[in-house]
Amino acid sequence: MATVVISGNGEVGAAIASVLYRAGHRVVLQRDPEHASGCEDHARLEGVLAKRARRLDDLVRMVRCGRAIPIAAEPLERIVQALQPQLVVDARALAGEAPQRAAQAVLRRMAEQGLEPARGARPVRDAAWKPLGTGALIGYVGGLIGLGGAEFRLPALVGWFGVRLRAAIAANLLISLATVVCALAARLAQHEPGALAAFAWPAAMLAAGSIAGAYAGASIAAQVGRRALHRIVGTLLGALAVLIALHGALPSSASAPLGGVAGLAAGAAVGALIGLVSSLLGVAGGELLIPSFVLLFGAELKLAGTLSLAVSTPTILVALWRLRGSSGWIEALERRALVGWMAAGSVLGALAGSLSFGAVPSAVLSLILAAILAASAIKLYRG
């Protein structure tokens, strides 16, 4: 196996370090002292454990151990002298490229130079049970209060699995699509066709607005800077935390539903806002759609949940279509095993949670989940 030193900060360096480490190489990530001094002792770089090396002796020992990616603040010359690496990569020269594409290009270049992992070296692979179990747990607690749990998957993808925020949004949309389609198929048989048809026009207007909002939101997610995106997503998650805290107080139906042109116009306007939020967070939007159907159009709560799934499906599809080819989309596809296992867990958990609906008082569970979501929102806002 080759020893590789990656010089430079940022997402490209982290992606290269992760890909090479997973392929079985020994990797060191060198950072400038002013950046490394603020790092935590332990971190996640694209899903791989990294640990700061405080001294050069620690760095050499950690490279030999190979259990984590060392992050060193030593000058590059000293690191090269101590380790004698086979390759030094300047990640700053690749800053304009998509992180995962740059990482795969470095891996191919190493293979062409004969710098392949030694025989017996095992590539690092994600354990399937982690995303499967995480998705199932989040889907289950979401199902207990009638939500899909996507608002909790996003912080988990970023914080627990080290997925970059742009890629986490795309991955969350893919997982949300699988969860919504399965849940919709399971719930359609629970309602009379006439009950669904009675809300066809409100659903159509909410869907039209949501599609337009999703198109705009996906453009924002692909174009704004990293810090701005973190703050936007953190703010939206904080707002959702408040809504989820109030979820238990949602009435079963509205007493004075809107009708006529005013109702349809309100549905389109609210739908546009929901689609914007959905595409920026990678969520299905049920936490916003369900109250809209209940409070604006007088739908019964259970029926509102089914209608929200029907509206969410085209909204998610448009957001995914708009993100296609972006760096986040490419990285989400690179982590397809993680996405697939978490989607499977989310579907199973959501179905189990739906069957246990009401087992825990909704108001109590909503407050607990809102507190967790608020903490995640603060962390994401800070970047």
Side-chain angles (χ1 to χ4, degrees), residues 23-357:
H25 296 288
R26 292 172 174 171
V27 180
V28 175
L29 187 59
Q30 186 262 345
R31 289 184 170 177
D32 298 331
E34 60 268 23
H35 290 90
S37 60
C39 294
E40 299 179 356
D41 284 346
H42 296 275
R44 286 278 171 182
L45 298 178
E46 301 290 324
V48 175
L49 178 65
K51 186 175 182 181
R52 183 167 52 149
R54 299 181 180 275
R55 300 189 306 270
L56 200 58
D57 291 343
D58 292 337
L59 176 63
V60 175
R61 176 180 53 79
M62 290 168 63
V63 170
R64 290 174 180 172
C65 181
R67 294 180 181 173
I69 297 176
I71 302 176
E74 296 283 347
L76 183 60
E77 295 77 10
R78 293 192 63 190
I79 295 176
V80 171
Q81 183 179 5
L83 297 177
Q84 297 296 310
Q86 283 74 36
L87 183 66
V88 177
V89 178
D90 186 357
R92 290 166 292 192
L94 304 170
E97 300 185 27
Q100 288 294 324
R101 281 183 175 176
Q104 292 297 332
V106 172
L107 189 61
R108 288 194 298 270
R109 190 175 74 194
M110 291 178 63
E112 292 170 358
Q113 296 175 359
L115 299 177
E116 297 184 353
R119 292 183 179 179
R122 296 183 178 180
V124 179
R125 303 187 185 278
D126 288 323
W129 66 268
K130 293 181 180 179
L132 180 67
T134 301
L137 177 61
I138 292 174
Y140 180 75
V141 296
L144 284 176
I145 58 173
L147 300 175
E151 55 282 322
F152 301 103
R153 278 198 304 271
L154 184 65
L157 285 165
V158 175
W160 298 352
F161 295 98
V163 181
R164 199 168 63 106
L165 181 57
R166 296 184 195 277
I169 291 172
N172 204 21
L173 281 168
L174 289 168
I175 298 170
S176 295
L177 179 62
T179 306
V180 164
V181 169
C182 291
L184 180 59
R187 293 180 66 133
L188 281 176
Q190 301 177 16
H191 304 284
E192 293 292 334
L196 295 171
F199 292 90
W201 274 109
M205 296 308 296
L206 277 169
S210 294
I211 289 171
Y215 189 91
S219 300
I220 295 172
Q223 295 175 11
V224 301
R226 176 182 177 275
R227 183 179 296 274
L229 184 60
H230 272 261
R231 291 188 172 182
I232 291 171
V233 171
T235 301
L236 292 176
L237 285 178
L240 286 182
V242 176
L243 288 176
I244 290 175
L246 299 174
H247 184 87
L250 190 66
S252 60
S253 64
S255 56
L258 290 176
V261 177
L264 297 180
V270 171
L273 175 62
I274 293 172
L276 182 70
V277 174
S278 175
S279 59
L280 284 171
L281 298 182
V283 303
E287 50 284 291
L288 298 172
L289 283 168
I290 292 174
S292 298
F293 275 111
V294 172
L295 300 176
L296 292 179
F297 303 108
E300 181 267 329
L301 190 59
K302 188 174 181 180
L303 178 62
T306 302
L307 291 168
S308 75
L309 294 173
V311 172
S312 296
T313 303
T315 305
I316 295 173
L317 287 172
V318 168
L320 286 172
W321 178 79
R322 192 71 181 92
L323 287 174
R324 75 194 190 287
S326 67
S327 62
W329 172 265
I330 293 169
E331 291 174 51
L333 295 183
E334 291 285 346
R335 303 292 295 273
R336 54 186 174 273
L338 169 67
V339 173
W341 284 114
M342 186 169 282
S346 296
V347 170
L348 294 175
L351 292 175
S354 298
L355 295 175
S356 305
F357 187 82

